[in-house]
Amino acid sequence: MAQPDSKKIFFENLSGAGKAIAVLTSGGDAQGMNGAVRAVVRMGLYVGAKVYFIHEGYQGMVDGGDNIKEATWESVSSMLQLGGTVIGSARCKEFRTHEGRLKAAHNLVQHGITNLCVIGGDGSLTGANLFKEEWSGLLNELVEQGLIEADAVQKYSALHIVGMVGSIDNDFCGTDMTIGTDSALHRIIEVVDAIMTTAQSHQRTFVLEVMGRHCGYLALVSGLACGADWVLIPEMPPEDGWEEKMCQKLSATRSRGTRLNIIIVAEGAIDRHGKPITSSFVKDLVVKCLGFDTRVTILGHVQRGGTPSAFDRILASRMGVEAVLALLETTANTPACVVSLCGNTSVRVPLMECVQMTQEVQKAMDQKRFEEAVKLRGRSFENNLKTYKLLAHRKPESELPTSNFNVAVLNVGAPAAGMNAAVRSAVRVGISEGHKMFAVSDGFEGFYKGQIKEVKWGDVGGWTGQGGSLLGTKRTLPAKHVEKIAEQMRKHNINALLIIGGFEAFLSLLELLTARGKYDEFCVPMVMVPATVSNNVPGSDLSIGADTALNAITTTCDRIKQSASGTKRRVFIIETMGGYCGYLATVGGLASGADAAYIYEEPFDIKELQANVEHLTEKMKTSIQRGLVLRNENCNENYTTDFIYQLYSEEGRGVFDCRKNVLGHMQQGGAPSPFDRNFGTKISAKAMQWVSKKLVETFRQGRVFANTEDSCCLLGMRRRTLVFQPVVQLKDETDFVHRIPKEQWWLKLRPLMKILAKYKTSYDVSDSGQLEHVVHNRPKDSDASVAM
C-alpha cells in the first residue's frame, strides 16, 4: 500500500563523494555490533564515501598501520549473524592521554578521515567527544611538529562524530534500547527456562546472577519476562528488613503448591546502605531461614555471547544507516550526536546530553536518591519496575480494594507466543484492582458454549514462558452467536471484556459494538490487545508474537544459509507466513540479510523477478557464496514459491543452484521471546488499568452502562507511545478484504533492505535529521506507563 504523501527528501541528494568515514567498536562487545558495522559500511559505500575499518577500537586508531583498512562491500558479507565484533574491540589507556590522541589524529589525517562512527558505551563516546573538541588543536600541533602539511589544517578542519550505543546493560540514557540488550535477554531467558524445568523436578530455589554493575535493566526485564519471585537491582535497593519479607514471600508461594522459586540478582545489587547484595548471600539466607534446596547460577559472559537476536540485527541496521545519514548532514557546528531508539522511532540526541544524564543516574544512586535514579533511567525503565511490582507482589486479601466488577479475558484468532504472558498480566492486575477475573476458553466459541470460569492469582503462575495459548483460541467471530454470548454475559454478570488476539479480535470488537444496539449486555468497556505473528492489526505498529516469529525465521535462515557453507553457490527461496501482510517477509529479510523479499503491498512483475535473478547472478560471480530470497505466502497468486524457485533455478543455471523451504507453522510455535513476554505483560497491564478506569466512569445507578465509541478500544503501539483508539475510528484505516492496515510503517524499511543488498533505490529520509534533546523524566511531566 502506498504511504501518504509527505515531504520526501531522497538520500540521492546527500552525496558522500569525497568523504571518508571510519567505523570502530570500542569498550565491551555486544551482539549486534557487526550488524551496525555492516550497515555503516554498505550505506557509506552506497552514497559514494570511502569507508574504513578501525580494528581494535581506539587502540587501533592510536597504533595506526594495518589497524586502519579500507572496507569493501564483500568485507562485511556473512557477518550479520555473528556475535561479538569482527573488527575487534579494546580498552585503550593511551587514547586517554593527549599524546595518544595526537597519534590518533595523525593516523586519521593520513587516510583523509574526518567522519567517525563510534559504536560503544558512554566511556567510548565521551572519549570521541573530547577528541572532536581537541581536533583543531591537535592538527596545529601536528603541523608544528612537521608531521602534516599546513594546508591539511584547512582541508581537515572539523572532525564529525556520530555514536551508536553497544552495551548489553542498556545503561545509557537517551535511548530505549542499546544494541546487544535484547540478545543478552535471550541468553538469560534461555537459561531461566532451562533452569525452571530442573527446579520443578526437585522443588528447588534458584538464585540467578546477571550482569549489570551499575544498571539493573537486565535483571528487571528478565524478572518480568520469567515471573521471578524476587528481583534485586542497584537503582532501587530493597527496604530494610527485606530479608524477612523475601523469605515470607517464598514460603507463601511454596505453601500454595508452587514447586520452584526464582530470585534474580543484578551483579551491582546493593541494600539501602550501599552494602553489596551477592547471589551467595541470598542463597545462604534462603537456606538458613527456610531450609529450601537452593542453587546459585552466575551467567557471566554467556550473556554477551551467541548470535544476535532479530531485534538487535534490525536495530543495528537501522541505526547504522541513520549514523551515515547523520554524518553526511553534519556541519562544523553540529554537535556530536548519538543515534537512539525512542519507542519505534530512530532519533538523534546530543551525545554529551546523554552522557551527562547517564552520569546523573550514578550520582543519584551514590547519594541514595533512588527514586530519582529510577526516573532518570527513563520512562521505559520506570514502567518496567512499576509493572514488575504490580505483578510479582501479591497483596493480602484484606488490603485489596473491592470493586464488585467481573472482567472476562479471552484469546481470539490464531495462537501467538506471548498471549499467555498477556493473560497472566491481565488477571493479576485485575485482581490487584479488586475485580473478579474470568477466563474464557476457546475464544468466542467457548464463550457461547459457557466455557467460562473464575481464575485466581495462582492459576496463572508460570504462564509467561509458555508458548501458544493456554486458554485456547479459535477464529470464530461472535456475530452468529451473539444472542448466546449475551446470555453468558448476563449469566456471569460480565462487566468488561479484554480480548487478546489478531485481526479476528479486531473484527469481533466491531461486531460486538454493532450488537450494542440490540443487547445491553455489550454496553460495557471492551478493549483489545493485538497478538498475532502476522502483525497485521490496524492501529498498532507491533503485535504480541511477531518478534518470536521473526526470531524463528531469522534462526532458520541462518541455519539454511550455513547448510550451503563449503558447497557451490546456492540461492534459497523461503516462504513466510503473514497472510497478505508482508511484515514477516520484509523485516525477517532485513534481519537475515536477504537479497529480496516479495510481498503483496509492493506489487512486482516478471521484469522485477528477472532483474533480481540477474542481480544475484552478478553478485554470485564475485565472492558472494549464498543468496536468500523471502516470499510472503500471499504476495501473488500466480508467482508462487514453486514458480519463483523454478525461475531462479533456470535463470541461474551454471552460476548457482536453488533450494526452497516453506517455514509454515513453526513461526507460530516455540517459547515467546523476551520482547514478546515483556510487551505482552506491559500492554495487557495498561489495558486492564484502562478497564478499571472505564468501569468506574460508566457505573451508574447500580450497573455498568458504556455505549460511547471510546468505551470500545484497541490499545496499540504508535511510534513512541501506547495509544487507546476507538475501533470504529480504525475502520477507515483498514483494508478488510486483505486484512491489513492501509498504511504500514515498516514499508519504509524495504528500501533499507534493498540498499544493504546492493540494489540501487531511493531512500526516504524525511523522518531523519531530527536532533532532539534528552528530556529529564520528572514525575510532574511524564506518564511512565506509555513508554515501552
Side-chain angles (χ1 to χ4, degrees):
M1 294 293 155
Q3 293 296 327
D5 291 337
S6 62
K7 182 187 175 188
K8 291 193 175 181
I9 311 163
F10 291 104
F11 94 133
E12 293 135 315
N13 302 327
L14 300 168
S15 173
K19 289 201 173 188
I21 299 171
V23 58
L24 70 144
T25 54
S26 177
D29 65 318
Q31 310 97 314
M33 278 185 166
N34 288 322
V37 170
R38 170 181 177 267
V40 169
V41 169
R42 291 195 167 176
M43 190 66 171
L45 292 173
Y46 196 81
V47 297
K50 273 192 172 184
V51 187
Y52 291 86
F53 291 134
I54 298 180
H55 292 270
E56 311 306 331
Y58 286 119
Q59 190 65 58
M61 196 192 296
V62 172
D63 294 341
D66 290 341
N67 288 301
I68 303 177
K69 290 182 180 175
E70 190 169 351
T72 64
W73 192 273
E74 289 73 24
S75 61
V76 292
S77 295
S78 302
M79 68 188 288
L80 184 59
Q81 70 271 26
L82 299 177
T85 166
V86 168
I87 60 175
S89 182
R91 303 192 189 276
C92 179
K93 289 182 179 178
E94 199 173 353
F95 189 75
R96 295 177 186 175
T97 67
H98 184 79
E99 282 303 312
R101 293 191 291 276
L102 191 65
K103 288 181 185 176
H106 185 215
N107 289 326
L108 291 187
V109 169
Q110 284 183 313
H111 290 87
I113 298 168
T114 56
N115 297 280
L116 270 186
C117 182
V118 180
I119 308 167
D122 61 335
S124 304
L125 298 176
T126 304
N129 191 68
L130 176 62
F131 194 36
K132 172 184 168 66
E133 289 175 350
E134 292 183 345
W135 182 256
S136 58
L138 293 171
L139 294 194
N140 287 328
E141 281 187 57
L142 291 171
V143 171
E144 288 170 13
Q145 294 177 18
L147 294 173
I148 62 173
E149 298 296 327
D151 62 351
V153 176
Q154 185 65 32
K155 189 176 180 181
Y156 306 115
S157 59
L159 179 68
H160 306 296
I161 302 284
V162 173
M164 285 183 274
V165 190
S167 165
I168 68 164
D169 290 340
N170 203 31
D171 57 353
F172 192 80
C173 294
T175 184
D176 285 353
M177 287 287 273
T178 57
I179 296 168
T181 302
D182 187 70
S183 300
L185 285 170
H186 273 259
R187 300 296 91 78
I188 295 168
I189 294 304
E190 285 164 11
V191 171
V192 172
D193 285 351
I195 278 174
M196 286 175 89
T197 57
T198 183
Q200 283 185 323
S201 301
H202 298 276
Q203 292 199 53
R204 280 184 176 148
T205 296
F206 268 89
V207 181
L208 267 75
E209 183 181 302
V210 302
M211 282 185 165
R213 196 174 306 130
H214 304 295
C215 180
Y217 185 88
L218 290 179
L220 179 57
V221 175
S222 56
L224 200 57
C226 73
D229 296 279
W230 205 269
V231 173
L232 294 158
I233 59 173
E235 290 90 347
M236 186 52 69
E239 300 288 345
D240 290 347
W242 66 272
E243 298 92 339
E244 186 180 346
K245 286 181 182 176
M246 183 184 78
C247 290
Q248 284 175 351
K249 182 175 186 232
L250 298 180
S251 180
T253 55
R254 281 292 176 95
S255 67
R256 290 194 293 268
T258 303
R259 295 180 60 84
L260 79 157
N261 298 110
I262 300 287
I263 302 166
I264 298 182
V265 184
E267 61 178 334
I270 54 173
D271 65 17
R272 289 271 158 177
H273 309 287
K275 181 184 175 185
I277 301 175
T278 64
S279 50
S280 57
F281 173 80
V282 175
K283 176 204 167 185
D284 293 343
L285 177 67
V286 174
V287 172
K288 179 183 173 184
C289 295
L290 300 173
F292 289 173
D293 185 3
T294 307
R295 298 287 189 274
V296 171
T297 299
I298 300 174
L299 268 63
H301 282 73
V302 137
Q303 296 157 87
R304 286 163 86 131
T307 304
S309 66
F311 183 97
D312 271 329
R313 299 185 197 195
I314 297 157
L315 177 66
S317 298
R318 290 176 70 182
M319 284 187 167
V321 167
E322 186 70 25
V324 172
L325 293 174
L327 285 171
L328 293 181
E329 293 169 6
T330 53
T331 65
N333 300 319
T334 305
C337 73
V338 176
V339 178
S340 300
L341 183 74
C342 182
N344 192 34
T345 308
S346 294
V347 296
R348 303 174 196 171
V349 284
L351 187 155
M352 288 314 295
E353 283 188 20
C354 297
V355 170
Q356 285 159 9
M357 180 76 87
T358 305
Q359 290 169 350
E360 274 190 52
V361 177
Q362 190 58 50
K363 188 177 177 182
M365 288 163 61
D366 292 342
Q367 295 174 358
K368 298 186 173 63
R369 292 180 283 117
F370 299 115
E371 296 283 350
E372 187 176 345
V374 168
K375 293 189 183 302
L376 288 169
R377 277 276 179 235
R379 294 186 301 171
S380 175
F381 188 93
E382 187 179 18
N383 191 28
N384 280 317
L385 184 57
K386 283 184 176 179
T387 308
Y388 176 75
K389 286 179 177 179
L390 197 61
L391 297 174
H393 301 295
R394 181 183 184 181
K395 291 179 181 177
E397 296 283 342
S398 58
E399 292 182 23
L400 290 174
T402 50
S403 70
N404 297 318
F405 292 125
N406 295 345
V407 181
V409 182
L410 66 157
N411 294 336
V412 176
M419 275 182 164
N420 298 320
V423 171
R424 168 186 176 267
S425 177
V427 167
R428 292 196 169 180
V429 172
I431 291 171
S432 296
E433 309 238 323
H435 310 317
K436 268 190 180 180
M437 299 301 297
F438 288 82
V440 182
S441 299
D442 297 333
F444 282 107
E445 189 171 312
F447 210 136
Y448 81 81
K449 291 177 179 177
Q451 295 172 330
I452 304 166
K453 64 176 182 179
E454 188 179 352
V455 59
K456 302 284 190 180
W457 185 282
D459 296 337
V460 291
W463 278 36
T464 52
Q466 300 291 316
S469 168
L470 292 173
L471 284 185
T473 181
K474 295 284 180 71
R475 295 179 184 271
T476 306
L477 296 177
K480 290 182 182 178
H481 312 284
V482 71
E483 187 175 344
K484 290 182 179 178
I485 294 169
E487 185 183 321
Q488 293 296 335
M489 294 274 287
R490 190 165 56 251
K491 179 181 175 182
H492 292 89
N493 190 28
I494 301 299
N495 306 120
L497 283 181
L498 172 58
I499 303 173
I500 301 163
F503 202 85
E504 289 87 357
F506 173 63
L507 294 176
S508 298
L509 268 190
L510 288 172
E511 290 183 359
L512 293 179
L513 188 65
T514 303
R516 279 179 171 178
K518 191 174 181 182
Y519 300 95
D520 282 356
E521 286 81 3
F522 301 118
C523 292
V524 296
M526 296 185 284
V527 65
M528 172 196 164
V529 169
T532 166
V533 301
S534 301
N535 198 33
N536 63 332
V537 177
S540 189
D541 291 354
L542 301 171
S543 298
I544 300 164
D547 184 73
T548 304
L550 280 176
N551 278 287
I553 292 167
T554 304
T555 301
T556 306
C557 287
D558 285 352
R559 291 177 179 175
I560 287 171
K561 284 162 70 177
Q562 194 178 46
S563 73
S565 179
T567 67
K568 58 185 178 180
R569 295 183 175 95
R570 183 166 286 171
V571 173
F572 296 94
I573 314 296
I574 312 291
E575 183 184 299
T576 67
M577 291 179 97
Y580 285 95
C581 181
Y583 176 82
L584 290 179
T586 296
V587 184
L590 182 59
S592 53
D595 296 278
Y598 300 118
I599 63 171
Y600 165 77
E601 293 91 342
E602 197 172 275
F604 58 97
D605 55 21
I606 194 67
K607 291 179 181 177
E608 184 172 341
L609 287 169
Q610 183 65 33
N612 292 156
V613 175
E614 290 171 1
H615 181 78
L616 258 175
T617 303
E618 283 303 308
K619 286 172 73 174
M620 289 287 181
K621 287 177 181 176
T622 60
S623 61
I624 305 295
Q625 294 293 318
R626 297 179 294 280
L628 183 66
V629 175
L630 271 61
R631 177 190 177 275
N632 167 246
E633 58 184 350
N634 287 346
C635 65
N636 188 293
E637 61 181 342
N638 295 314
Y639 299 136
T640 62
T641 301
D642 282 337
F643 177 90
I644 293 173
Y645 162 70
Q646 289 166 2
L647 176 70
Y648 273 73
S649 296
E650 180 61 31
E651 297 299 319
R653 195 185 299 275
V655 180
F656 59 80
D657 66 358
C658 234
R659 295 290 185 273
K660 65 176 176 178
N661 195 302
V662 178
L663 299 184
H665 282 76
M666 64 167 288
Q667 296 159 85
Q668 285 184 339
S673 68
F675 182 92
D676 277 331
R677 298 183 195 198
N678 195 18
F679 184 45
T681 297
K682 287 198 286 188
I683 195 171
S684 197
K686 189 171 177 67
M688 268 311 305
Q689 289 168 335
W690 176 89
V691 165
S692 295
K693 182 183 173 187
K694 285 292 177 186
L695 283 169
V696 172
E697 288 176 0
T698 58
F699 186 72
R700 296 287 183 276
Q701 299 175 337
R703 61 170 291 196
V704 173
F705 188 81
N707 65 348
T708 56
E709 287 183 359
D710 66 352
S711 64
C712 183
C713 283
L714 179 147
L715 175 57
M717 179 75 177
R718 283 286 179 107
R719 290 175 67 86
R720 304 189 186 193
T721 54
L722 290 170
V723 185
F724 289 97
Q725 304 143 98
V727 289
V728 70
Q729 293 178 15
L730 294 173
K731 289 171 74 173
D732 291 341
E733 298 180 24
T734 308
D735 174 354
F736 286 96
V737 174
H738 299 99
R739 298 159 57 89
I740 54 175
K742 290 178 181 176
E743 296 170 17
Q744 305 191 80
W745 69 272
W746 52 264
L747 286 171
K748 289 189 175 183
L749 298 180
R750 286 187 62 77
L752 172 57
M753 184 191 73
K754 291 177 181 178
I755 286 166
L756 296 178
K758 212 174 182 177
Y759 284 91
K760 291 291 181 186
T761 188
S762 295
Y763 186 56
D764 178 9
V765 295
S766 57
D767 285 342
S768 300
Q770 306 299 315
L771 189 68
E772 301 187 2
H773 294 282
V774 180
V775 179
H776 284 255
N777 185 23
R778 302 300 184 194
K780 62 181 180 183
D781 61 8
S782 71
D783 174 9
S785 62
V786 298
M788 282 309 302

